[in-house]
Amino acid sequence: MSRAMFRGATCGLLCGCLPVAGAGGFVDGSKLKLQLRNVYFNENFRDEQGMSARAAASAKSERVEWAQGFLLDYQSNELPLAGGVLSTDLRYFKSRDSGAAYGGAIDNDMISGQVAYAHSGHTLGAGYQVLDGEAGLPYISGATVYSFSNVGIGKFIEEEEKTWMASYAYNFAAAGVPGLTFMARYLSGDNGRSGAKGIKEWERDAEIAYVVQGGPLKGLGVKLRNYVYRSDFARGRDSNRLYLTYDIAIW
């Protein structure tokens, strides 16, 4: 897809949502947020571990990079539909680099969108994300990427990567057990290439949680998460995580 076509499709998606959203107060209560990002990297290399003698001889001891971008995030109000509610979340990322670009040029656009339908405690969700341009999406290690794909282990933001997601959640309050929830989702991404330049990754997540609803332990919660991640360019991982939380209402 050409850059001009990609940007045109992005504008069409963002603007096209608004006329449809006008029905039933879909725009009322919705949110459109613009987030500007400036990231400065300064790295000092202490050794040449893992480098050949030739590469080590010309290696630089310091690397300075500066990346800029913005995130346009549209979140709709919930639209009543067939006894349930429909909600959407559409995000657009634009990233460019400046400076010496020792790590390679950064010049890309990314659309990340998802839709969810909730009815009688059940919530079905689907999402699609596409990154177009040079390099992956820049981010600071340990920080949130702000795309729907940044949910577990994998981030699904490699160069030219296309990702789809399907999810299911259930709130047991609909069955008379308030505070108990369950969620499962699956993500799959690839860049459509084969051989050394091709990437494929997938992730399967499941979560069950309970929060005490009343009494002296109100707000005490426990959550169990299971992540399964596989990739042909990174280490596969199986992860089980147990969270103990306690929320206190200040006012």
Side-chain angles (χ1 to χ4, degrees), residues 96-243:
R96 301 290 183 269
D97 76 279
S98 61
Y102 292 125
I106 299 174
D107 184 4
N108 58 55
D109 302 87
M110 188 174 84
I111 295 178
S112 179
Q114 60 180 330
V115 60
Y117 178 70
H119 190 294
S120 303
H122 303 274
T123 302
L124 294 174
Y128 186 72
Q129 178 174 287
V130 55
L131 194 154
D132 180 71
E134 297 182 54
L137 186 75
Y139 70 97
I140 297 176
S141 179
T144 300
V145 177
Y146 297 107
S147 67
F148 78 76
S149 62
N150 183 204
V151 291
I153 297 175
K155 288 186 166 51
F156 298 85
I157 52 172
E158 301 299 320
E159 184 177 23
E160 299 290 341
E161 185 169 13
K162 300 173 180 61
T163 304
W164 62 269
M165 183 269 292
S167 66
Y168 169 76
Y170 184 69
N171 187 339
F172 285 85
V177 189
L180 181 64
T181 58
F182 170 79
M183 182 280 304
R185 64 177 159 244
Y186 180 83
L187 300 97
S188 177
D190 69 78
N191 65 355
R193 303 177 188 175
S194 59
K197 294 184 178 180
I199 62 168
K200 291 184 182 297
E201 57 182 331
W202 62 266
E203 181 171 330
R204 182 179 68 246
D205 306 331
E207 170 186 302
I208 189 166
Y210 179 73
V211 177
V212 178
Q213 300 295 292
L217 296 179
K218 181 179 179 180
L220 179 65
V222 59
K223 181 183 297 183
L224 178 62
R225 285 179 173 172
N226 172 259
Y227 297 133
V228 178
Y229 174 75
R230 296 292 184 270
S231 167
D232 60 6
F233 64 93
R235 297 180 68 183
R237 195 186 314 176
D238 295 344
S239 176
N240 294 297
R241 306 178 187 183
L242 178 65
Y243 299 80

